[in-house]
């Protein structure tokens, strides 16, 4: 299938550009040099602005992809089944009537491996090492300057990003199985990057409405309108029987293992499309704030249940 956004996905020669990362160990998980390539940077900056999302293809090396994928698949995960609004809370019945989009709750389901489990229940902590990576010569130089992922994404966003300090929601694995109903939502964290690790047999595109909410306020009428249109009103039939999928406002990016997607999840309404087949869709999600010390609210934490140890539906890894 040809991809509607293909012209903004970077088409460079990955092998040529990763030749400098030849040391062994954690540094070989990703083709780090792609994040220092001016062409990749420029392409991503333009894509984010014009299309609401940027993709770095083949950011993980083939071995890195396999290592990250097996780390995530062997970790215990939490089957989270919740009933909440697209703002990831229980609504605001004080300000809005029950029938208002702000109070519209849906049943959602997905599976998570939270940060604490990725840190403490894995042998090598590879997933977490990608978020925290600092270039060898920059070690000891705390934060931004040495962290290549953070520096690259800040340049793409054109604002200084900070790592989230959320104990579980800062870095987590998102697993979607065919029986899950991944919800349309706004993120609370301003920016999100997702390194996809495994495709499902069918479905599972990243679906989004670029820059559809100018502010991050839950009272922003543009947010209410998009929820009314995509989640409340849509009853059009479609192959997966899910709301919103046929709306021309919705853009789709087919996911690709090893590629990194970056977008503003607080201003672009989005979801992982439902999947078919037995293989789960697996992504490693990294979140970023616009100031030091960003953490998710209690509402968002309870809506997601990222940590398998808080779970009543714990499933052990494969
Ligand atoms: O996996 C995806 O494509 C989207 C994940 C997402 O929206 C989230 O974790 O907040
Ligand atoms: Fe999200």
């Amino acid at each position: 299938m040809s991809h509607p956004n293909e012209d903004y996905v970077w088409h460079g020669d990955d092998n040529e550009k990763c030749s400098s990362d030849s040391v062994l160990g954690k540094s070989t998980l990703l083709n780090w040099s792609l994040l220092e390539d001016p062409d990749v940077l420029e392409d991503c900056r333009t894509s984010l602005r014009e299309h609401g999302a940027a993709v770095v293809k083949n950011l993980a090396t083939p071995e890195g992809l396999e290592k990250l994928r097996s780390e995530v698949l062997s970790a215990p995960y939490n089957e989270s089944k919740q009933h909440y609004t697209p703002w990831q809370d229980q609504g605001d019945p004080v300000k809005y009537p029950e029938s208002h989009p702000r109070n519209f709750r849906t049943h959602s389901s997905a599976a998570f491996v939270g940060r604490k489990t990725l840190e403490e229940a894995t042998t090598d902590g590879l997933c977490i090492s990608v978020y925290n990576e600092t270039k060898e010569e920059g070690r000891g130089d705390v934060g931004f300057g040495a962290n290549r992922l953070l520096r690259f994404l800040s340049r793409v966003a054109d604002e200084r990003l900070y790592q989230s300090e959320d104990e579980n929601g800062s870095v987590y694995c998102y697993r979607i199985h065919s029986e899950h109903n991944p919800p349309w939502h706004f993120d609370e964290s301003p920016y999100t990057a997702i390194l996809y690790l495994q495709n499902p047999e069918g479905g599972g595109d990243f679906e989004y409405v670029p820059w559809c909410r100018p502010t991050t306020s839950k009272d922003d009428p543009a947010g209410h309108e998009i929820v009314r249109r995509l989640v409340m009103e849509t009853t059009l039939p479609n192959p997966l029987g899910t709301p919103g999928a046929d709306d021309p406002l919705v853009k789709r990016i087919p996911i690709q293992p090893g590629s990194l997607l970056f977008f503003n999840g607080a201003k672009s309404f989005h979801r992982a499309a439902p999947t078919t087949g037995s293989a789960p869709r697996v992504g490693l999600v990294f979140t970023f704030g616009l100031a030091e010390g960003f953490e998710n609210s209690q509402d968002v934490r309870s809506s997601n249940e990222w940590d398998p140890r808080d779970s009543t539906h714990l499933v052990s890894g494969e």
Side-chain angles (χ1 to χ4, degrees), residues 26 37 44 56 83 89 115 121 149 167-168 177 181 190 248 256 259 264 271 299 310 316:
K26 288 182 180 176
D37 185 308
C44 286
V56 182
H83 191 224
D89 65 8
R115 178 184 187 135
L149 185 62
E167 59 176 8
N168 274 305
H177 299 227
N181 180 26
Q256 207 178 71
S259 293
N264 185 313
R271 72 163 178 179
D299 276 332
D310 297 340
S316 55

Side-chain angles (χ1 to χ4, degrees), residues 72-78 112-114 117 121 175 308 314-318:
V72 151
L73 289 179
S74 59
Y77 60 93
N78 173 28
F112 295 102
V113 185
T117 296
R175 288 179 68 130
L314 184 66
V315 184
S316 55
E318 284 143 26

Side-chain angles (χ1 to χ4, degrees), residues 28-166:
T28 56
L29 291 173
L30 300 195
N31 291 314
W32 291 103
S33 56
L34 284 177
L35 303 184
E36 295 176 333
D37 185 308
D39 295 340
V40 176
L41 176 65
E42 218 28 61
D43 187 59
C44 286
R45 285 167 59 87
T46 308
S47 293
L48 181 66
R49 254 149 227 82
E50 292 181 5
H51 305 282
V55 175
V56 182
K57 286 172 96 176
N58 300 318
L59 181 61
T61 62
E63 320 81 72
L65 175 60
E66 200 34 52
K67 284 185 184 168
L68 293 166
R69 196 177 71 96
S70 52
E71 181 173 276
V72 151
L73 289 179
S74 59
Y77 60 93
N78 173 28
E79 284 282 354
S80 176
K81 293 186 174 67
Q82 306 278 336
H83 191 224
Y84 59 80
T85 72
W87 293 266
Q88 304 190 60
D89 65 8
Q90 294 304 308
D92 189 346
V94 175
K95 276 195 200 154
Y96 300 97
E98 199 47 44
S99 58
H100 191 275
R102 181 67 189 88
N103 287 318
F104 192 75
R105 291 184 291 163
T106 59
H107 287 283
S108 80
S109 50
F112 295 102
V113 185
R115 178 184 187 135
K116 282 199 259 172
T117 296
L118 289 174
E119 270 173 349
E120 294 163 22
T122 58
T123 314
D124 300 316
L126 299 177
C127 290
I128 206 75
S129 79
V130 172
Y131 192 57
N132 287 334
E133 189 269 358
T134 51
K135 198 176 181 179
E136 207 51 57
E137 59 262 37
R139 278 194 207 288
D141 168 9
V142 215
F144 183 60
N147 185 315
R148 282 184 281 188
L149 185 62
L150 189 59
R151 189 177 51 197
F152 173 77
L153 297 177
S154 296
R155 287 179 175 157
V156 174
D158 222 1
E159 44 192 335
R160 168 78 152 97
L161 303 186
Y162 295 81
Q163 285 186 319
S164 164
E165 290 181 15
D166 201 90

